[in-house]
Amino acid sequence: MAAAQATFKSIKSLVPLLDRVLVERFKAETKTATGIFLPSSATSNPLPEATVIAVGPGAPNKEGRVVPTSVKAGDRVLLPGWGGNSIKVGENEYFLFKDSDILAKIEE
């Protein structure tokens, strides 16, 4: 099943709802440290790391209390190799994931 696509003029106009997390995946290197350009087939798979751009306020639990997302804007995260909804803003591509789909937060 292909991810849904949407197009916006500015990423600032997009505010995630509930426990959704807006991320920008890291871009694959197109050339090696020695200057050799890599073919597009070698860089076509998305990298699992991303930067969190914005988060929703959280989702209600069974008791009705809102549980905040586990990440915040600026965090580096590890994503699964599938899922997320693609969002294009100009030439940039962002993704919306549920907070529970994010595999890990990357501490530096």
Side-chain angles (χ1 to χ4, degrees), residues 10-27:
S10 167
I11 197 64
K12 291 180 182 179
S13 66
L14 185 67
V15 178
L17 298 177
L18 298 172
D19 61 344
R20 300 289 193 266
V21 178
L22 180 67
V23 300
E24 183 176 20
R25 287 185 186 266
F26 289 174
K27 301 212 182 338

Side-chain angles (χ1 to χ4, degrees), residues 5-12 14 22-27 53 85-95:
Q5 287 218 348
T7 303
F8 298 90
K9 292 182 180 174
S10 167
I11 197 64
K12 291 180 182 179
L14 185 67
L22 180 67
V23 300
E24 183 176 20
R25 287 185 186 266
F26 289 174
K27 301 212 182 338
I53 304 301
N85 292 91
S86 175
I87 299 162
K88 288 284 262 188
V89 180
E91 293 299 311
N92 296 327
E93 187 173 23
Y94 300 87
F95 292 87

